[in-house]
Each structure stands twice: as C-alpha cells, then as structure tokens.
Amino acid sequence: MSSVPKNKDELELAINSIVPKLMADYRSIPESNTRKIGVEGNIKGTTISVSDTVAYLIGWGKLVLKWHHLKSQNQHVDFPETGYKWNQLGLLAECFHKEYHDWKYDDLLVELESTVSDILLLISNLSNHELYGVAWYERWTLGRMIQFNTSSPMKNMRTKVRRFNREFT
C-alpha cells in the first residue's frame, strides 16, 4: 500500500493502523504533561500542548462528518468551515484548541476515539465508488478529503507527540 490510500480498503487500513499507535502514545503521557506547551504547533513558530493536538484531530474529524452530513442533505458547505478560508487553517486549528481547552484529557481521548469510530462507520457505509470514484469537493474525492483530515494529520501528530514525550518525560 502506498502512503496515500487509493480505495476504501486502504483508507480503512490507514486509519485503523495509525489510531491504536497514536492512542497508545497519548495514553503514555503523564496527565501532568498534557497541558504543558512543547509540541510544534500548526502555525509556524508556535508551540501547543498535547491536549491541543487531540483537540485538533477531533476538530478536523468532526468537520469531515459535518461536511458529509451537509452534502448528503444537499445543503451548502462552507469549506473548510464557516468564517475560515483554506489559507487560514492555523486560525482554524486555534479555534479547535479553544473549543476543547477546558476538557479533561481523558475526555478528549474518549471524544477522539468516538469521532474516529463515527468516521469509520461513515466509510463502511459508503461504496468504493462514492469514496474514490467521483469528485466530491472540487477535484478531490471524499476518500481523499477524509484521508487529508484523519490519517495524515494523525501520523503527523503522532510524530510530534512522540518527540514531545521523549523531551518532557
């Protein structure tokens, strides 16, 4: 399999392969370090907390679900999100951080797992053609949009979290 899933099975495998590793890494971090600033942020030159990385992944996962829900109801979708343009993704990331700032770390992890389960359920309920056979947003297929906003950032966050864990624990 290439690093970029090209069909439904590869997309499910990509997500199912990274999530257990990522969750194990998240669970290995002492609670006392989860709000410590030290993870490379999404805006160049910024640092965030491990909790913020979880919020980021939840935020993007929930956006994917929202996009699909709205489009499946033939409703307009503001990509990437209402009030944000594609060149403002760092600001959108900060919005996710703020939205989940007061959540307990364990609750964030449960929410991430729930969001991933919802995404996997969505994928399982769609055909390979629906995921990869037709353009869904501009030139991108739905499968590619899901991958862009789930397995790819999960791999990226895992690298950052592991680096943080080596430096701070």
Side-chain angles (χ1 to χ4, degrees):
M1 180 181 90
S2 78
S3 63
V4 178
K6 293 180 178 50
N7 60 49
K8 177 178 177 169
D9 291 339
E10 290 181 5
L11 179 60
E12 289 174 320
L13 180 61
I15 294 169
N16 283 321
S17 295
I18 189 62
V19 169
K21 296 172 191 171
L22 178 65
M23 295 309 293
D25 289 333
Y26 277 140
R27 288 198 170 90
S28 74
I29 297 172
E31 174 79 28
S32 59
N33 285 348
T34 60
R35 293 284 175 188
K36 189 179 286 185
I37 302 299
V39 178
E40 178 187 340
N42 298 90
I43 298 174
K44 187 176 177 131
T46 64
T47 52
I48 60 177
S49 72
V50 170
S51 292
D52 290 333
T53 70
V54 182
Y56 176 86
L57 295 174
I58 294 168
W60 276 109
K62 291 199 175 290
L63 269 185
V64 165
L65 295 166
K66 176 182 173 181
W67 297 338
H68 180 265
H69 174 76
L70 290 172
K71 281 193 77 125
S72 68
Q73 302 295 313
N74 293 316
Q75 295 181 25
H76 173 73
V77 180
D78 285 330
F79 287 101
E81 174 62 304
T82 303
Y84 296 90
K85 301 206 179 312
W86 287 111
N87 65 352
Q88 297 176 307
L89 297 183
L91 295 174
L92 183 53
E94 288 179 344
C95 177
F96 298 147
H97 302 162
K98 288 177 188 160
E99 181 176 351
Y100 294 98
H101 184 266
D102 295 329
W103 284 46
K104 293 179 180 165
Y105 186 65
D106 286 340
D107 294 339
L108 285 171
L109 296 181
V110 169
E111 187 70 11
L112 177 58
E113 288 177 318
S114 173
T115 302
V116 170
S117 291
D118 290 345
I119 290 167
L120 288 168
L121 181 61
L122 169 65
I123 294 167
S124 74
N125 287 326
L126 296 170
S127 69
N128 192 64
H129 180 76
E130 290 169 305
L131 287 164
Y132 285 94
V134 293
W136 188 80
Y137 169 71
E138 296 182 355
R139 66 183 177 149
W140 305 108
T141 65
L142 176 55
R144 193 78 157 110
M145 291 294 287
I146 292 171
Q147 177 256 317
F148 279 149
N149 297 291
T150 59
S151 62
S152 289
M154 287 174 184
K155 287 179 185 175
N156 185 35
M157 285 302 169
R158 182 169 186 240
T159 299
K160 291 177 179 185
V161 167
R162 289 172 65 85
R163 186 178 308 128
F164 171 87
N165 210 8
R166 281 192 306 270
E167 292 175 11
F168 289 94
T169 53

